[in-house]
Amino acid sequence: MSFTVALVGRPNVGKSTLFNRLAGKKLALVDDTPGVTRDWRSAPARVGGLSFTVVDTAGLEDVTDDSLEARMRRQTERALERADVALFIVDARTGITPLDRHFAALLRKSKTPVILVANKAEGKVGMTGLYEAFELGLGDPLALSAEHGEGMADLVQALLPYAPPEPEAAEKASAPVKGEGEEELPVGDQPETDEERARPIQIAIVGRPNVGKSTLLNALIGEERVLTGPEAGMTRDAISVDWEWRGRKFRLVDTAGMRRRARVDAKVEKLAVADALRVVRMAQVVLLVVDANQILDKQDLTIARTVVEEGRALVIALNKWDAVDDRAMALRQVEDKLQAALAQIKGVEVVTISALQGKKLDTLLDSILSTYGQWNRRIPTAQLNRWIEGVLDHHPPPLVEGRRVKIRYATQVKARPPTVALFVNKPLDLPESYQRYLIAHLRETFDLPGVPVRLLLRKQKNPYADD
C-alpha cells in the first residue's frame, strides 16, 4: 500500500525541484520562469525507506474566472482533494507573501492534512522567511532545500504518520522474490508472456501544438485530467496517466506540441520538446495526432520519421474529422503523403477521430492494439529460411566485382521492433538497395504493416580459421 503526497504553493517556490528530488529523476521541467508547471503529474517516490506517490501541481493563483491560470488552479484543487497529505511550500528566501497568506487560509479549511515546508532555507538568507512562516497557522515549518537535498530526514519524519501500516512479516515472507526460480529475460527478446501482458502498454501522444492531444487523452479516460483550451502550447510537462480498457492496461503520456526547430525560441519550450522526444524513445506505441484540416505537413512527417527511426510502433489519428468537408480528398492526401515520405514503413494505421465529440475512439484503440501486436511479432526461424530461399531463387543479390554475395540463413534476433539477422559471407558488399528490397518483401510476406522492420547483416564465423 502507498499514500499520496501533493505539492502545492504559489508559482516558483520550488515544487517541481522537490518533486524531482523525491522521485529520484528529473521528470518535471524546472526553470526560473514562474508558471512552468501547468498540469499536475505524479510519480512513485522513495525517501528514507518511505514509499509514496508524489504529485507536482501548478502554482496557485488568486483567480476564479475562465483564464488559463484559473483552470490551472482548478486542476491543482482536484489533485489536492485526491491526496492523503499536502506539502504547502513557501519560499524562505522571499519570505511570506500576501498570496501565501491567502492560500494558507484556504488550506486550513481543507479536509486534506497540510505540512508547511519552507523551501530554499539553506544558509542564513532563508532564516527570516522560515521564522515568518510560523504566522501562517499551519504548524511548525520544515526547513528544506530541495535543490541541495537538505532537510529530507525531517520531511520523512513529518510524513510517517500518514503512511499506511507495514504488511505483516508473514505476508512479506510468503511474497515471491523477483529472480528466484526463474530467469528474468530482456524485454523485447521473447514473445509476450502473461506477465508482460499484465504490464501497461506505453503510449506516447505526440503532434504539433493545438491539434487536440490533451483533448484526446481526456476523452479516452473520461475526465478532465489535463488542461485544454484554445491556447497553443498549453501542455509542457509530459503527463502520464494509467488507464484500463477492455481488460488491457495502458499508460497514456500526453506531451508538449512539437514545432519546427527553427520556430522554437523560448527556453521552456525547448525543454518541453526535449521531454517529448524522451517520451517517444521510451514509448512502445506512438500516437501521432494530426489536425485533419492541415493534413500531414512537414513537421508531422518529421515527427513520424523520428518515431520510425527510434523503432517505435506508429499510429496516426486524424483529429477534428467532423470539421472536414471533402473527406475523400483528405484521405487521398494522407495516402499520397505517406507513400512519398514514409515509403519504408508501409501500412501505417490511420484512424479518423473527433476527440472533442468522442467519436471512433474504440476504433483508434483497436488499431493501437493491432499495431502493438505486429511490433511484438516473432517469426519462427524455419519460416524465415524458407522465405529467404524463395527470395534467392527468384531474385538473388546482384553481382559485386563479378562475384555474388552468398546469404547463408536468416533468424529473428529481436522483437519490438521485429529485427532479422542475415548471415552472409560478405556483409559489407550487400547493396543497400537489395537490403531495402528484402525488408519490403519480408514485410509483405509476413504481414508486418505499420511497424519498423530492421535487418542486421552478420558474417558467419569460419570454424577452420584461426582466431
Side-chain angles (χ1 to χ4, degrees):
M1 293 180 64
S2 181
F3 64 107
T4 302
V5 179
L7 311 181
V8 298
R10 61 180 174 82
N12 218 32
V13 294
K15 297 184 297 298
S16 295
T17 303
L18 181 57
F19 175 85
N20 289 341
R21 171 72 61 180
L22 295 173
K25 300 177 183 178
K26 291 185 178 180
L27 298 176
L29 299 184
V30 177
D31 192 73
D32 292 335
T33 307
V36 171
T37 302
R38 289 177 172 173
D39 293 287
W40 61 271
R41 62 176 300 162
S42 62
R46 183 171 179 84
V47 182
L50 194 62
S51 298
F52 55 92
T53 299
V54 60
V55 179
D56 187 23
T57 66
L60 289 166
E61 299 275 9
D62 188 15
V63 283
T64 55
D65 53 18
D66 291 326
S67 64
L68 174 59
E69 290 77 11
R71 302 202 304 273
M72 290 163 59
R73 172 176 168 168
R74 287 193 288 271
Q75 285 282 79
T76 297
E77 291 171 345
R78 195 173 295 124
L80 183 62
E81 291 173 359
R82 300 182 180 187
D84 296 297
V85 60
L87 300 185
F88 181 48
I89 303 172
V90 297
D91 188 337
R93 293 182 188 173
T94 305
I96 302 304
T97 67
L99 200 57
D100 290 325
R101 295 186 181 92
H102 174 75
F103 288 113
L106 294 179
L107 288 173
R108 286 198 298 269
K109 301 175 184 177
S110 172
K111 296 180 180 179
T112 305
V114 178
I115 298 173
L116 179 59
V117 174
N119 190 31
K120 307 181 187 179
E122 66 275 12
K124 295 181 180 179
V125 180
M127 296 307 295
T128 302
L130 176 64
Y131 294 139
E132 287 180 3
F134 281 90
E135 71 180 68
L136 296 177
L138 292 171
D140 295 351
L142 293 177
L144 199 71
S145 173
E147 185 174 358
H148 300 97
E150 297 177 6
M152 302 305 292
D154 292 335
L155 178 60
V156 170
Q157 290 299 316
L159 291 174
L160 275 176
Y162 305 98
E166 290 290 326
E168 295 295 332
E171 294 180 5
K172 287 185 176 181
S174 64
V177 179
K178 185 177 181 181
E180 289 187 1
E182 61 176 350
E183 181 182 0
E184 185 177 26
L185 298 171
V187 175
D189 290 354
Q190 298 292 326
E192 189 179 29
T193 63
D194 291 340
E195 181 182 355
E196 290 171 344
R197 184 176 173 80
R199 298 172 184 168
I201 301 175
Q202 310 273 352
I203 302 175
I205 304 175
V206 304
R208 292 181 290 111
N210 219 29
V211 294
K213 300 182 295 298
S214 298
T215 304
L216 175 58
L217 185 144
N218 288 339
L220 287 172
I221 66 175
E223 66 170 292
E224 292 294 320
R225 173 61 181 81
V226 289
L227 287 172
T228 59
E231 302 93 342
M234 183 170 295
T235 301
R236 286 173 172 171
D237 281 294
I239 305 300
S240 173
V241 179
D242 288 329
W243 179 63
E244 188 171 326
W245 180 75
R246 292 183 181 174
R248 195 68 196 255
K249 296 179 180 179
F250 297 88
R251 179 164 293 140
L252 307 172
V253 186
D254 185 23
T255 64
M258 292 187 280
R259 296 193 295 167
R260 282 182 289 182
R261 186 175 298 176
R263 293 186 177 182
V264 178
D265 297 322
K267 178 185 175 183
V268 173
E269 186 176 358
K270 289 180 181 178
L271 291 172
V273 171
D275 197 34
L277 292 173
R278 175 189 64 82
V279 171
V280 168
R281 289 190 288 270
M282 298 296 293
Q284 295 169 326
V285 180
V286 176
L287 180 57
L288 174 58
V289 183
V290 177
D291 190 330
N293 293 295
Q294 303 173 23
I295 290 178
L296 289 175
D297 70 358
K298 184 177 179 181
Q299 179 63 6
D300 290 326
L301 295 172
T302 299
I303 297 171
R305 281 191 290 268
T306 300
V307 173
V308 174
E309 289 168 3
E310 293 291 342
R312 308 299 95 185
L314 176 65
V315 176
I316 296 176
L318 293 183
N319 193 25
K320 308 179 185 179
W321 190 246
D322 51 307
V324 175
D325 295 326
D326 193 341
R327 297 183 176 182
M329 175 65 73
L331 289 174
R332 282 196 298 272
Q333 289 179 1
V334 172
E335 185 177 347
D336 292 343
K337 289 187 176 183
L338 288 177
Q339 178 64 30
L342 289 175
Q344 74 274 29
I345 182 172
K346 293 183 179 179
V348 175
E349 291 269 7
V350 179
V351 184
T352 58
I353 66 168
S354 172
L356 189 61
Q357 298 183 2
K359 291 183 177 179
K360 298 189 73 173
L361 300 186
D362 285 354
T363 304
L364 176 63
L365 291 166
D366 284 334
S367 296
I368 288 173
L369 288 176
S370 173
T371 303
Y372 176 75
Q374 299 288 20
W375 189 65
N376 275 287
R377 279 280 300 280
R378 284 191 65 88
I379 306 168
T381 300
Q383 293 184 23
L384 281 173
N385 283 298
R386 285 196 295 270
W387 162 74
I388 197 65
E389 288 174 4
V391 170
L392 296 176
D393 288 341
H394 291 89
H395 189 179
L399 296 174
V400 177
E401 296 181 354
R403 304 183 66 178
R404 195 175 302 281
V405 178
K406 295 181 180 179
I407 301 178
R408 306 295 186 184
Y409 66 94
T411 184
Q412 184 173 351
V413 294
K414 187 179 177 297
R416 306 184 179 188
T419 304
V420 174
L422 287 183
F423 289 83
V424 299
N425 63 339
K426 294 183 178 181
L428 298 179
D429 291 343
L430 192 65
E432 289 188 10
S433 58
Y434 192 75
Q435 295 179 43
R436 290 194 296 270
Y437 162 74
L438 289 177
I439 291 175
H441 200 282
L442 177 71
R443 188 189 301 279
E444 182 180 352
T445 302
F446 294 103
D447 190 24
L448 292 169
V451 297
V453 175
R454 291 175 174 172
L455 201 64
L456 303 178
L457 302 183
R458 294 182 176 176
K459 185 174 182 178
Q460 189 174 15
K461 186 176 180 181
N462 185 346
Y464 300 104
D466 295 330
D467 290 336

